[in-house]
Amino acid sequence: MDDEEHDDRRVARRSNDECRRIANDTKSYYGIARVWPVNIGRILRTGKVLTLRGEKPLIYECVDDAALGVKDAKTEIIDGSIKITTKRAVDVLSSFGDGRSRMTLAHELGHAVMHATDGFVDHRAAGASGTTTLSKLNASESAEHQAKVFASAFLINDLQATELESPLDIATEFLVSLSAAEICFERLQAKQEHAAAAARILEATEKLKAQLRGTEENKKKYLPSMCPACSLTTLFPLGIKVGCDTCGYTGDDPEKGDA
């Protein structure tokens, strides 16, 4: 098993939208739903976290870089508390607004909220992109993929990001990595295009319905009487007389008098 296999594990299936919803719920829990850039360092030092299994104590510890080796950070449960351990360099860089370091910390928070269970340790490898063998094959059940989606949603406000013109603008506004900003930008662009296409289809449908209603309203209302000339029920009022759309008969309505 290669290193990227060790850095991921199978978890309960969650869609990207569900992971983003959980991230937004977490922002509401910390009272930062409308705040950006998110001060992720302060959040991790609050001493608490709302996991999918309820609120738990949160321990945040920075250690010498050598202590974690090739890992930038890890998340685990110790005596019922969630503990996030990170390299001191990651914490320092995050405090200076380094996008990748901030994503790393938000990524670990995602593990804390969604994945922290007894006996498991979730790692964030140095230089990791968040893509593993498992995430390529089954992203919805990949712990790393879910944490990656969570981190982006936790640090980026979609409503504000929609107003920005490029991935670089998003990266600058929210202090995230350019790769995360690019993924967000492409997703929001696709969402806007989908909404525009849906609006065009709805408009075309309404126009067609209006045309059909107009055609229906303009149809001649045929009388129940049978035409005395061709015996078809295609008579229509013609002043005090009636006319037949089929044979051209003009005369009295057979039901009201002699033709």
Side-chain angles (χ1 to χ4, degrees):
M1 186 178 290
D2 58 28
D3 287 342
E4 73 172 12
E5 292 278 6
H6 285 292
D7 292 331
D8 202 358
R9 62 186 174 95
R10 192 178 299 276
V11 293
R13 181 186 297 273
R14 294 185 185 90
S15 67
N16 288 349
D17 283 344
E18 186 175 1
C19 293
R20 282 190 282 270
R21 178 189 61 77
I22 292 171
N24 287 324
D25 287 346
T26 304
K27 285 197 284 190
S28 295
Y29 167 74
Y30 286 116
I32 58 168
R34 299 179 181 276
V35 176
W36 66 84
V38 171
N39 188 334
I40 185 63
R42 184 182 66 79
I43 294 298
L44 295 179
R45 290 176 170 85
T46 58
K48 61 180 183 176
V49 60
L50 182 62
T51 77
L52 297 184
R53 298 185 177 188
E55 187 175 87
K56 294 184 180 297
L58 175 63
I59 301 167
Y60 179 59
E61 182 179 6
C62 301
V63 298
D64 291 340
D65 293 3
L68 286 177
V70 297
K71 310 299 181 183
D72 273 346
K74 67 178 181 179
T75 300
E76 57 195 324
I77 286 187
I78 298 178
D79 296 330
S81 296
I82 307 293
K83 183 177 181 181
I84 294 177
T85 306
T86 184
K87 287 180 175 178
R88 201 174 309 281
V90 171
D91 181 73
V92 171
L93 287 171
S94 171
S95 68
F96 283 108
D98 178 65
R100 189 183 186 286
S101 298
R102 285 168 48 76
M103 288 292 292
T104 292
L105 297 184
H107 184 102
E108 292 307 312
L109 180 62
H111 282 313
V113 171
M114 298 185 290
H115 307 139
T117 53
D118 293 325
F120 286 100
V121 179
D122 290 297
H123 296 279
R124 170 74 162 171
S129 64
T131 301
T132 66
T133 300
L134 176 58
S135 71
K136 292 174 186 175
L137 296 175
N138 192 354
S140 64
E141 294 182 3
S142 159
E144 284 304 295
H145 177 81
Q146 290 183 12
K148 177 180 178 180
V149 174
F150 176 100
S152 178
F154 190 78
L155 296 180
I156 299 174
N157 180 294
D158 272 7
L159 190 60
Q160 176 64 16
T162 302
E163 304 297 320
L164 303 178
E165 297 183 355
S166 71
L168 183 58
D169 289 341
I170 293 176
T172 302
E173 180 79 6
F174 299 101
L175 301 180
V176 297
S177 64
L178 185 57
S179 61
E182 288 170 344
I183 293 171
C184 176
F185 184 78
E186 290 172 6
R187 174 175 60 83
L188 293 178
Q189 286 287 99
K191 185 177 180 180
Q192 288 179 316
E193 290 169 6
H194 178 76
R200 288 194 296 270
I201 291 172
L202 179 61
E203 182 182 5
T205 300
E206 291 303 319
K207 284 183 178 179
L208 178 59
K209 286 180 179 179
Q211 290 174 354
L212 291 175
R213 282 195 299 269
T215 300
E216 199 66 35
E217 290 168 359
N218 291 331
K219 279 184 179 179
K220 289 179 179 176
K221 302 286 192 295
Y222 291 129
L223 300 170
S225 312
M226 186 180 292
C227 176
C230 67
S231 300
L232 296 177
T233 54
T234 52
L235 291 176
F236 60 90
L238 193 63
I240 61 173
K241 301 290 187 178
V242 296
C244 179
D245 253 352
T246 303
C247 66
Y249 164 82
T250 302
D252 295 323
D253 185 341
E255 288 195 0
K256 295 183 179 179
D258 294 329

